[in-house]
Amino acid sequence: QAQLVESGGGLVQAGGSLRLSCAASGRAASSYYMGWFRQAPGKEREFVAAISTTSGTTSVADSVKGRFTVSRDNAKNMLWLQMNTLTPDDTAVYYCAARQLYNRVVPTIDVMYAYWGQGTQVTVSS
């Protein structure tokens, strides 16, 4: 019954902000790591940011570093992605992902995550 439910996507102008949320339940709620990936039309899925639910250590893609912040609330089994200074290049479907297995470092590869949300569309207009 692992489940990840995302919300918060939408349409914003360049320079604006959005906050995405992801609620984990079932087996996904006991994950060591939770993170965000995105996929733009015609492009491959790419890593955005992830966090260790135990240590709080994060990994953030260079393309969004300084603009996006990933955080979590373990008590509520929630994951957030605060996105600031958005640009049209950030337009994509954003997916929440969770990894139940421990790893030495915060995973940044999509195949290392077993649980995925449905995706939420983020569109940034110029």
Side-chain angles (χ1 to χ4, degrees):
Q1 57 177 330
Q3 188 175 20
L4 298 172
V5 180
E6 305 166 2
S7 62
L11 173 65
V12 298
Q13 293 184 342
S17 299
L18 282 175
R19 190 176 78 158
L20 307 182
S21 63
C22 173
S25 62
R27 297 179 68 242
S30 61
S31 299
Y32 273 102
Y33 311 98
M34 298 184 70
W36 297 93
F37 293 78
R38 67 186 183 185
Q39 187 168 25
K43 300 184 65 177
E44 297 181 354
R45 180 185 290 168
E46 66 174 347
F47 171 77
V48 178
I51 188 169
S52 167
T53 62
T54 55
S55 70
T57 302
T58 63
S59 182
V60 182
D62 289 341
S63 60
V64 303
K65 192 170 296 183
R67 299 187 297 119
F68 290 12
T69 302
V70 62
S71 59
R72 89 291 187 210
D73 185 334
N74 291 345
K76 297 181 178 180
N77 297 317
M78 292 288 297
L79 177 76
W80 293 276
L81 182 67
Q82 179 66 49
M83 305 185 294
N84 298 325
T85 319
L86 287 162
T87 76
D89 288 341
D90 296 316
T91 295
V93 177
Y94 284 70
Y95 298 92
C96 175
R99 175 181 171 88
Q100 192 174 40
L101 299 177
Y102 170 80
N103 200 65
R104 191 179 69 84
V105 297
V106 179
T108 60
I109 308 299
D110 55 359
V111 295
M112 297 184 71
Y113 290 83
Y115 307 120
W116 294 85
Q118 77 282 10
T120 185
Q121 177 70 48
V122 172
T123 302
V124 184
S125 62
S126 60

